Amino acid sequence: AQTIHQWPVAEIKAVGSPLSLGCTIKGKSSPNLYWYWQATGGTLQQLFYSITVGQVESVVQLNLSASRPKDDQFILSTEKLLLSHSGFYLCAWSLLAISNERLFFGHGTKLSVL
Amino acid sequence: AQSVDQPDAHVTLYEGASLELRCSYSYSAAPYLFWYVQYPGQSLQFLLKYITGDAVVKGTKGFEAEFRKSNSSFNLKKSPAHWSDSAKYFCALALNTGANTGKLTFGHGTILRVHP
């Protein structure tokens, strides 16, 4: 069975500090990977997607970057956090890279920027 | 641009009643529509989706949803409701463009509370 693991579970960071969030998918080779973000009180919106290793597409510009260094790993990062980065970050994967495919979500990381 | 509206931030009912969570969407073409659920302390889980064909789609946990093109709605239903259905429910839309981005446009969610 496939599993998705996100780390850390929660982070409290200072404005201007760096950030790195991670996501690992086990049990599925070459998954399609996604990062979603939910601002406090807001809805979920897609940030990045990756169809294959080394290739990441940005969907929304939020002064964040993403990388896929391994087939099963997806990293979200920034060198300088903003207050507006606070929220809930979800990693997800799908079997197929088609628009009507269901997504499987991780448990998420709660980020508080102070 | 496409959008999804879930007009009810909270819905409360008693166990045994019928539940219906509302969802409307705005999109110029035929959409793909989804419902996801987030139980307390858990991640989002897929419930069901509408791609094409029959207006009523059945999903997991006894849920079903009805697609109505006439009023651009995709309401989630279950009867009877159980206290374990208490959770946050998200309606989402994917564009029917063939593009393989995995992008879903989500509504803000409806928190359902079912009293025993």
Side-chain angles (χ1 to χ4, degrees):
Chain A
Q2 301 89 359
T3 60
I4 178 169
H5 175 59
Q6 279 190 249
W7 75 91
V9 173
E11 279 266 48
I12 299 175
K13 305 278 283 187
V15 170
S17 62
L19 174 76
S20 181
L21 304 180
C23 172
T24 299
I25 291 82
K26 296 298 183 185
K28 174 70 175 80
S29 62
S30 304
N32 303 293
L33 299 175
Y34 316 95
W35 277 111
Y36 276 80
W37 170 66
Q38 183 179 29
T40 303
T43 188
L44 288 154
Q45 57 178 311
Q46 190 187 43
L47 300 177
F48 299 93
Y49 69 92
S50 172
I51 306 301
T52 189
V53 175
Q55 291 187 13
V56 177
E57 299 296 330
S58 174
V59 178
V60 175
Q61 291 299 325
L62 286 179
N63 292 310
L64 295 168
S65 60
S67 64
R68 187 170 177 177
K70 301 178 183 178
D71 184 53
D72 63 353
Q73 196 173 77
F74 207 17
I75 305 297
L76 183 70
S77 61
T78 182
E79 292 186 0
K80 284 188 176 182
L81 278 166
L82 307 173
L83 283 174
S84 58
H85 287 140
S86 292
F88 195 57
Y89 290 84
L90 282 167
C91 180
W93 67 274
S94 68
L95 286 169
L96 302 173
I98 55 176
S99 55
N100 62 19
E101 185 73 359
R102 61 176 286 188
L103 301 187
F104 296 86
F105 288 88
H107 279 75
T109 295
K110 184 176 181 180
L111 174 66
S112 299
V113 182
L114 307 176
Chain B
Q2 69 279 6
S3 65
V4 174
D5 182 44
Q6 293 180 250
D8 304 310
H10 294 87
V11 170
T12 301
L13 45 81
Y14 285 93
E15 200 170 44
S18 298
L19 77 84
E20 182 169 0
L21 304 184
R22 297 187 291 166
C23 171
S24 63
Y25 67 90
S26 175
Y27 181 47
S28 57
Y32 298 132
L33 295 163
F34 301 77
W35 278 97
Y36 285 82
V37 60
Q38 187 173 32
Y39 296 100
Q42 297 186 28
S43 185
L44 269 75
Q45 300 173 29
F46 170 82
L47 273 180
L48 50 79
K49 66 179 177 181
Y50 173 82
I51 300 176
T52 186
D54 293 340
V56 177
V57 291
K58 296 187 184 298
T60 60
K61 306 178 190 293
F63 286 93
E64 64 178 37
E66 183 177 8
F67 171 67
R68 289 191 175 181
K69 186 178 179 180
S70 58
N71 61 358
S72 299
S73 69
F74 189 55
N75 294 351
L76 184 69
K77 303 177 184 180
K78 182 177 179 181
S79 184
H82 189 265
W83 64 267
S84 60
D85 294 326
S86 298
K88 190 168 186 177
Y89 292 80
F90 292 90
C91 182
L93 175 153
L95 301 183
N96 185 2
T97 63
N100 56 356
T101 67
K103 181 177 180 180
L104 292 173
T105 298
F106 282 89
H108 278 76
T110 296
I111 296 174
L112 172 67
R113 191 169 191 181
V114 181
H115 291 294

